[in-house]
Amino acid sequence: MTGTVTHDPPPGPADRPGRPLIVTEDAVLLDDLLRLCAAAGATPEVHHGLPESGDGWTAAPLVLVGDDAAHRMCGAARRPGVVLVGRDQDDPGVWKRAVRIGADHVLMLPDGEPWLVDRIADVAEGIGRPALTVGVIGGRGGAGASTLACALAVTSAREGLRTLLVDADPLGGGLDVLLGGESAEGLRWPAFAASRGRVGGGALEESLPELHSLRVLSWDRGDCVAVPPPAVRAVLAAARRRGGTVVVDLPRRLDDGVAEALAQLDMALLVVPAELRAVAAAGRVASAVGMVVRDLRVAVRGPYAPGLDDHEVARLLGLPLAGEVPVEPALLRPRGGAKPPGATGRGPLARFCTHFWERALVETGGIR
């Protein structure tokens, strides 16, 4: 059981660096809290009462106060990020003690263990704002969505942002191939198929191939063509916790795993060639994707059929226009060059990606 006492939310670990603080004299409770800290990858500081140094109390990013020690915390300075931890779910007095010490949460073990491990892991990873997560999906086959996804990721990394590119299309041939890194060392999707619960963001990032200053999660050349939805949810959540940007290349088929990926997007780009059949096909994709993604925009790719332009395509689809994806050889023939799309920083595609990130980061409050 967990409960919340209304206070200002605790600041992120980036604002309050340090180790979590445990305050308790209950040996059994201490053993449990140390076990949970170990599971979350954190090394706590332990005290039986209020630390003699005021900094020990105020600087800790998270404070876990055992219910046995609550009466000794009454003189402590009020601060966010305090959790009162107990075991007796039938004790109505625990809420009064939580208010008395200024706790943000009341948590009862063992029911509250998953929640608490997540909070401790947040401290251990030093997370801040979640990554700006953008999905790219083709309105029809061959629309150039994978090439645009790669170009967006390469451009983000070139601008100095922490960037992770996720290949969510097991039948697409592999984004690592498109980036020229099919032989690069690192894990691919099948290695995460059994993931459940929380995946460490730092460990995930370090395990993936690094190509063109970004990390890539792609597919291997084996027979695995699907990852269970819980694994997709866990891996993408870990990727987002590290901040920066995450770009997801999505297939046009929508299964449970793709739905998990769509649910974690801040924005999706529907890439639509400017031809009537493509617009008709894209309308069906937009109807399905729009049921999950709140911010779906259309990126129109030329050349244009008679009577069509980018604004007309957006009007026909009833979607806001993200812009015109320019025509250039790298987009039409993604494997034709030695460098990946957008790598040079020159050309119309690179300019489109640069302008896209400039607008998107402004809309979402800046670099994360």
Side-chain angles (χ1 to χ4, degrees):
M1 182 188 79
T2 62
T4 301
V5 180
T6 303
H7 286 290
D8 292 334
D15 299 320
R16 303 183 70 88
R19 299 187 296 168
L21 172 65
I22 297 175
V23 182
T24 183
E25 283 188 326
D26 184 330
V28 176
L29 179 61
L30 177 58
D31 284 345
D32 283 338
L33 293 178
L34 290 176
R35 172 176 55 83
L36 297 178
C37 285
T43 302
E45 182 178 344
V46 179
H47 288 267
H48 296 311
L50 185 66
E52 294 182 4
S53 169
D55 292 343
W57 170 262
T58 58
L62 180 69
V63 179
L64 308 178
V65 178
D67 195 26
D68 65 290
H71 66 282
R72 294 193 294 277
M73 298 295 105
C74 293
R78 294 300 176 102
R79 51 147 295 165
V82 176
V83 179
L84 183 63
V85 185
R87 293 183 177 280
D88 186 357
Q89 301 193 24
D90 297 323
D91 179 8
V94 68
W95 298 97
K96 293 181 180 179
R97 293 190 290 276
V99 170
R100 207 173 293 138
I101 68 173
D104 294 311
H105 296 276
V106 173
L107 180 140
M108 293 296 169
L109 300 180
D111 292 356
E113 287 190 2
W115 182 92
L116 187 54
V117 169
D118 278 351
R119 301 292 79 74
I120 298 170
D122 286 346
V123 171
E125 290 188 36
I127 67 166
R129 299 179 63 191
L132 173 59
T133 306
V134 177
V136 185
I137 186 169
R140 67 152 168 80
S146 294
T147 303
L148 179 58
C150 286
L152 286 170
V154 168
T155 301
S156 171
R158 195 179 63 247
E159 294 295 323
L161 297 177
R162 174 206 162 267
T163 306
L164 196 152
L165 175 62
V166 178
D167 185 355
D169 185 0
L171 303 180
L175 292 187
D176 54 349
V177 176
L178 187 54
L179 293 172
E182 60 269 26
S183 61
E185 293 186 1
L187 299 183
R188 268 67 172 180
W189 263 118
F192 300 99
S195 299
R196 297 292 187 276
R198 185 186 179 100
V199 174
L204 170 69
E205 187 170 348
E206 292 172 4
S207 72
L208 300 178
E210 183 174 6
L211 303 169
H212 308 284
S213 300
L214 59 96
R215 298 285 180 167
V216 182
L217 176 54
S218 189
W219 297 86
D220 62 13
R221 303 328 137 201
D223 295 331
C224 178
V225 294
V227 170
V232 175
R233 183 189 315 125
V235 169
L236 285 181
R240 298 190 72 226
R241 284 196 300 270
R242 299 286 288 175
T245 66
V246 175
V247 180
V248 185
D249 181 35
L250 295 156
R252 294 176 63 240
R253 61 178 181 84
L254 301 182
D255 56 21
D256 290 342
V258 175
E260 289 289 353
L262 290 172
Q264 298 204 42
L265 299 181
D266 295 305
M267 180 192 309
L269 298 181
L270 181 64
V271 184
V272 184
E275 55 188 47
L276 288 176
R277 284 191 65 192
V279 173
R284 295 185 176 184
V285 177
S287 296
V289 173
M291 295 177 65
V292 183
V293 179
R294 293 178 304 233
D295 188 353
L296 176 62
R297 310 181 188 188
V298 60
V300 183
R301 199 198 83 189
Y304 294 99
L308 289 180
D309 60 20
D310 51 352
H311 292 281
E312 179 64 10
V313 171
R315 186 191 69 79
L316 290 172
L317 292 172
L319 295 174
L321 179 63
E324 177 187 358
V325 181
V327 178
E328 63 178 53
L331 186 63
L332 299 177
R333 297 185 299 276
R335 301 190 189 190
K339 294 185 177 181
T344 65
R346 300 186 298 273
L349 179 59
R351 287 195 293 273
F352 170 88
C353 293
T354 299
H355 294 156
F356 169 81
W357 286 123
E358 288 175 351
R359 294 193 305 270
L361 290 169
V362 168
E363 292 174 9
T364 56
I367 295 176
R368 301 184 173 199

